[in-house]
Amino acid sequence: MFKTRSRIGTVLAATTVSVGLSIGVGAGSASAAPRLTTDTIWYQDGKSVVVSLYADGKYAGAVTWNADPLGEKPGDALQAYDGGADGWGVMGTVSDPWIYRSASTAGHASPYTTKWVTGDIKEGTRLDISVCLVKGSEKVCDYNLPRVSS
């Protein structure tokens, strides 16, 4: 009887320690997604925009939509820039029901600027623009930006 009680006590103690260790280890490994805020600078009569992204208030990068050629910059072009060495990449997307264009810095060390993603779009086409911070399969996005034009 004494041996059975002792064994039960040992099993309960070992289980308690195991559960405690697993909870303690798991608590430190979770990473919270940053809070994304954005700021916009419009140009070319409101058709083009630079969207600056901030992760928890710190500058993370920018997404640029350039409707018309401007100096060396092509028209109907999207570009992403990651300026924060925080483990999060920057992604920008323009779309409508027939057009989808995306530029992402994911997988590149910061600072990094993508090449311009281009292609002719009919003049005056209205496009939705969104910007995201990306890390693996996680995304933190702003989909509430005003539309841009081609």
Side-chain angles (χ1 to χ4, degrees):
M1 177 73 118
F2 178 71
K3 288 183 180 183
T4 303
R5 235 185 237 174
S6 178
R7 286 182 185 156
I8 291 172
T10 303
V11 169
L12 288 174
T15 303
T16 303
V17 170
S18 296
V19 169
L21 284 175
S22 67
I23 290 172
V25 170
S29 63
S31 66
R35 186 177 65 85
L36 172 64
T37 54
T38 59
D39 188 26
T40 55
I41 298 173
W42 294 88
Y43 60 102
Q44 295 183 334
D45 295 324
K47 295 191 313 181
S48 300
V49 66
V50 176
V51 182
S52 296
L53 290 79
Y54 299 87
D56 294 329
K58 294 180 184 176
Y59 181 74
V63 171
T64 302
W65 168 254
N66 202 44
D68 297 320
L70 183 63
E72 297 292 316
K73 299 176 183 176
D76 296 337
L78 183 69
Q79 186 176 59
Y81 166 72
D82 182 353
D86 54 9
W88 290 82
V90 172
M91 183 175 80
T93 303
V94 290
S95 62
D96 78 355
W98 298 275
I99 299 165
Y100 178 85
R101 193 165 290 164
S102 184
S104 176
T105 67
H108 296 277
S110 176
Y112 180 78
T113 304
T114 66
K115 293 181 179 182
W116 288 100
V117 180
T118 63
D120 192 38
I121 299 174
K122 182 180 174 190
E123 196 67 24
T125 300
R126 304 289 290 159
L127 301 164
D128 292 315
I129 185 168
S130 63
V131 296
C132 302
L133 295 173
V134 294
K135 185 179 196 178
S137 63
E138 291 182 84
K139 282 186 190 179
V140 180
C141 300
D142 184 348
Y143 297 106
N144 297 314
L145 297 166
R147 296 185 96 195
V148 294
S149 294
S150 63

Coordinates of all heavy atoms in Angstrom, one line a residue, residues 6-48:
S6 N 3.4 6.0 -2.8 CA 4.7 6.6 -3.1 C 4.8 6.8 -4.7 O 5.2 7.9 -5.1 CB 5.8 5.8 -2.6 OG 7.0 6.4 -3.0
R7 N 4.4 5.8 -5.4 CA 4.5 5.8 -6.9 C 3.5 6.8 -7.4 O 3.8 7.6 -8.3 CB 4.2 4.5 -7.5 CG 5.4 3.5 -7.3 CD 5.1 2.2 -7.9 NE 6.2 1.3 -7.6 CZ 6.1 0.0 -7.7 NH1 4.9 -0.6 -8.0 NH2 7.1 -0.8 -7.4
I8 N 2.3 6.9 -6.9 CA 1.3 7.8 -7.3 C 1.8 9.3 -7.0 O 1.7 10.1 -7.9 CB -0.1 7.6 -6.6 CG1 -0.7 6.3 -7.1 CG2 -1.0 8.8 -6.9 CD1 -1.9 5.8 -6.4
G9 N 2.4 9.5 -5.9 CA 2.9 10.8 -5.5 C 4.0 11.2 -6.5 O 4.1 12.3 -6.9
T10 N 4.9 10.2 -6.8 CA 6.0 10.5 -7.8 C 5.5 10.9 -9.2 O 5.9 11.8 -9.8 CB 6.9 9.3 -7.9 OG1 7.4 9.0 -6.5 CG2 8.1 9.6 -8.8
V11 N 4.5 10.1 -9.6 CA 3.9 10.4 -10.9 C 3.2 11.8 -11.0 O 3.4 12.5 -11.9 CB 2.9 9.3 -11.3 CG1 2.0 9.7 -12.5 CG2 3.6 8.0 -11.6
L12 N 2.5 12.1 -9.9 CA 1.8 13.4 -9.8 C 2.8 14.5 -9.8 O 2.7 15.6 -10.5 CB 0.9 13.5 -8.6 CG -0.4 12.7 -8.7 CD1 -1.1 12.7 -7.4 CD2 -1.3 13.2 -9.8
A13 N 3.9 14.4 -9.1 CA 4.9 15.4 -9.0 C 5.6 15.6 -10.4 O 5.9 16.7 -10.8 CB 6.0 15.0 -7.9
A14 N 5.9 14.5 -11.0 CA 6.6 14.5 -12.3 C 5.7 15.2 -13.4 O 6.1 16.0 -14.2 CB 7.0 13.1 -12.8
T15 N 4.4 14.9 -13.3 CA 3.4 15.5 -14.2 C 3.3 17.0 -14.0 O 3.3 17.8 -14.9 CB 2.0 14.8 -14.0 OG1 2.1 13.4 -14.3 CG2 1.0 15.4 -15.0
T16 N 3.3 17.4 -12.7 CA 3.2 18.8 -12.4 C 4.4 19.6 -12.9 O 4.3 20.6 -13.5 CB 3.1 19.0 -10.8 OG1 1.9 18.3 -10.4 CG2 3.0 20.5 -10.5
V17 N 5.6 19.0 -12.7 CA 6.8 19.6 -13.2 C 6.8 19.7 -14.7 O 7.1 20.8 -15.3 CB 8.1 18.9 -12.7 CG1 9.3 19.3 -13.4 CG2 8.2 19.0 -11.2
S18 N 6.4 18.7 -15.4 CA 6.3 18.7 -16.9 C 5.4 19.7 -17.4 O 5.7 20.5 -18.3 CB 5.9 17.3 -17.4 OG 6.9 16.3 -17.1
V19 N 4.2 19.8 -16.8 CA 3.2 20.8 -17.2 C 3.8 22.2 -17.0 O 3.7 23.1 -17.8 CB 1.9 20.6 -16.5 CG1 0.9 21.8 -16.8 CG2 1.2 19.3 -17.0
G20 N 4.4 22.4 -15.9 CA 4.9 23.7 -15.5 C 6.0 24.1 -16.5 O 6.1 25.3 -17.0
L21 N 6.9 23.2 -16.9 CA 8.0 23.5 -17.8 C 7.4 23.8 -19.2 O 7.8 24.7 -19.9 CB 8.9 22.3 -17.9 CG 9.9 22.2 -16.7 CD1 10.7 20.9 -16.9 CD2 10.8 23.4 -16.7
S22 N 6.4 23.1 -19.7 CA 5.9 23.3 -21.0 C 5.1 24.6 -21.1 O 5.2 25.3 -22.1 CB 4.9 22.2 -21.4 OG 3.8 22.1 -20.6
I23 N 4.5 25.0 -20.0 CA 3.8 26.3 -20.0 C 4.9 27.4 -20.0 O 4.8 28.4 -20.7 CB 2.9 26.5 -18.8 CG1 1.7 25.5 -19.0 CG2 2.4 27.9 -18.6 CD1 0.8 25.4 -17.8
G24 N 5.9 27.3 -19.2 CA 6.9 28.3 -19.1 C 7.7 28.5 -20.4 O 8.0 29.6 -20.8
V25 N 8.0 27.4 -21.1 CA 8.7 27.4 -22.3 C 7.8 28.0 -23.4 O 8.3 28.9 -24.2 CB 9.2 26.0 -22.8 CG1 9.7 26.0 -24.2 CG2 10.3 25.5 -21.8
G26 N 6.6 27.7 -23.5 CA 5.7 28.2 -24.5 C 5.4 29.6 -24.3 O 5.2 30.4 -25.3
A27 N 5.4 30.2 -23.1 CA 5.1 31.6 -22.9 C 6.1 32.5 -23.5 O 5.8 33.5 -24.0 CB 5.0 31.8 -21.4
G28 N 7.4 32.1 -23.5 CA 8.4 32.9 -24.0 C 8.6 32.9 -25.5 O 9.2 33.7 -26.1
S29 N 8.0 31.9 -26.2 CA 8.3 31.7 -27.7 C 7.2 32.4 -28.6 O 7.5 32.6 -29.7 CB 8.3 30.3 -28.0 OG 7.1 29.7 -27.8
A30 N 6.1 32.9 -28.0 CA 5.1 33.6 -28.8 C 5.6 35.0 -29.1 O 6.1 35.7 -28.3 CB 3.8 33.6 -28.1
S31 N 5.4 35.4 -30.4 CA 5.7 36.8 -30.8 C 4.5 37.5 -31.2 O 3.7 37.0 -32.1 CB 6.8 36.8 -31.9 OG 6.2 36.3 -33.1
A32 N 4.2 38.7 -30.7 CA 3.0 39.4 -31.0 C 3.3 40.2 -32.3 O 4.4 40.8 -32.5 CB 2.7 40.4 -29.9
A33 N 2.3 40.3 -33.1 CA 2.4 41.1 -34.4 C 2.4 42.5 -34.0 O 1.7 42.9 -33.0 CB 1.2 40.7 -35.3
P34 N 3.1 43.3 -34.7 CA 3.1 44.8 -34.4 C 1.8 45.4 -34.8 O 1.1 44.9 -35.7 CB 4.3 45.3 -35.2 CG 4.4 44.3 -36.4 CD 4.0 43.0 -35.8
R35 N 1.6 46.6 -34.2 CA 0.4 47.4 -34.6 C 0.9 48.3 -35.8 O 1.9 49.0 -35.7 CB 0.0 48.3 -33.4 CG -1.3 49.1 -33.7 CD -1.7 49.9 -32.5 NE -0.8 50.9 -32.1 CZ -0.8 52.1 -32.7 NH1 -1.7 52.5 -33.6 NH2 0.1 53.0 -32.3
L36 N 0.2 48.2 -36.9 CA 0.5 48.9 -38.1 C -0.2 50.2 -38.2 O -1.4 50.2 -38.1 CB 0.2 48.0 -39.4 CG 0.4 48.7 -40.7 CD1 1.8 49.1 -41.0 CD2 -0.2 47.8 -41.8
T37 N 0.5 51.3 -38.5 CA 0.0 52.6 -38.8 C 0.6 53.0 -40.1 O 1.7 52.6 -40.4 CB 0.2 53.6 -37.7 OG1 1.5 53.7 -37.4 CG2 -0.6 53.2 -36.4
T38 N -0.1 53.9 -40.8 CA 0.4 54.4 -42.1 C 0.3 55.9 -42.2 O -0.5 56.5 -41.6 CB -0.3 53.7 -43.3 OG1 -1.7 54.0 -43.2 CG2 -0.1 52.2 -43.3
D39 N 1.1 56.4 -43.1 CA 1.0 57.8 -43.5 C 1.2 57.9 -45.0 O 2.0 57.1 -45.6 CB 2.2 58.6 -42.8 CG 2.1 60.1 -42.9 OD1 0.9 60.6 -43.1 OD2 3.1 60.7 -42.8
T40 N 0.5 58.8 -45.6 CA 0.5 58.9 -47.1 C 1.0 60.2 -47.6 O 0.7 61.3 -47.0 CB -0.9 58.6 -47.7 OG1 -1.8 59.5 -47.1 CG2 -1.3 57.2 -47.4
I41 N 1.7 60.2 -48.7 CA 2.1 61.4 -49.4 C 1.6 61.2 -50.9 O 2.1 60.3 -51.5 CB 3.6 61.7 -49.4 CG1 4.1 61.9 -47.9 CG2 4.0 62.9 -50.2 CD1 5.6 62.0 -47.8
W42 N 0.7 62.1 -51.3 CA 0.1 62.0 -52.6 C 0.9 62.9 -53.6 O 1.3 64.0 -53.2 CB -1.4 62.3 -52.6 CG -2.1 61.3 -51.8 CD1 -2.4 61.3 -50.5 CD2 -2.7 60.1 -52.3 NE1 -3.1 60.2 -50.1 CE2 -3.3 59.4 -51.2 CE3 -2.8 59.5 -53.6 CZ2 -4.0 58.2 -51.4 CZ3 -3.4 58.3 -53.7 CH2 -4.0 57.7 -52.6
Y43 N 1.0 62.5 -54.9 CA 1.6 63.3 -55.9 C 0.9 63.0 -57.2 O 0.1 62.1 -57.3 CB 3.1 63.2 -55.9 CG 3.7 61.8 -56.2 CD1 4.1 61.5 -57.4 CD2 3.7 60.8 -55.2 CE1 4.7 60.2 -57.7 CE2 4.2 59.6 -55.4 CZ 4.7 59.3 -56.7 OH 5.2 58.0 -56.9
Q44 N 1.3 63.7 -58.3 CA 0.8 63.5 -59.6 C -0.8 63.7 -59.6 O -1.5 62.8 -60.0 CB 1.1 62.2 -60.3 CG 2.6 62.0 -60.6 CD 3.0 60.7 -61.3 OE1 2.3 59.7 -61.2 NE2 4.1 60.8 -62.0
D45 N -1.2 64.8 -59.0 CA -2.6 65.1 -58.9 C -3.4 64.1 -58.2 O -4.6 63.8 -58.6 CB -3.2 65.4 -60.3 CG -2.6 66.7 -60.9 OD1 -2.3 67.6 -60.2 OD2 -2.4 66.7 -62.2
G46 N -2.9 63.4 -57.2 CA -3.6 62.4 -56.4 C -3.7 61.1 -57.0 O -4.4 60.2 -56.5
K47 N -3.0 60.8 -58.1 CA -3.0 59.5 -58.8 C -1.9 58.5 -58.2 O -2.1 57.3 -58.3 CB -2.8 59.6 -60.3 CG -3.9 60.3 -61.0 CD -3.9 60.2 -62.5 CE -2.6 60.5 -63.1 NZ -2.5 60.4 -64.6
S48 N -0.9 59.1 -57.7 CA 0.3 58.3 -57.2 C 0.5 58.6 -55.7 O 0.1 59.7 -55.2 CB 1.5 58.7 -57.9 OG 1.4 58.5 -59.3

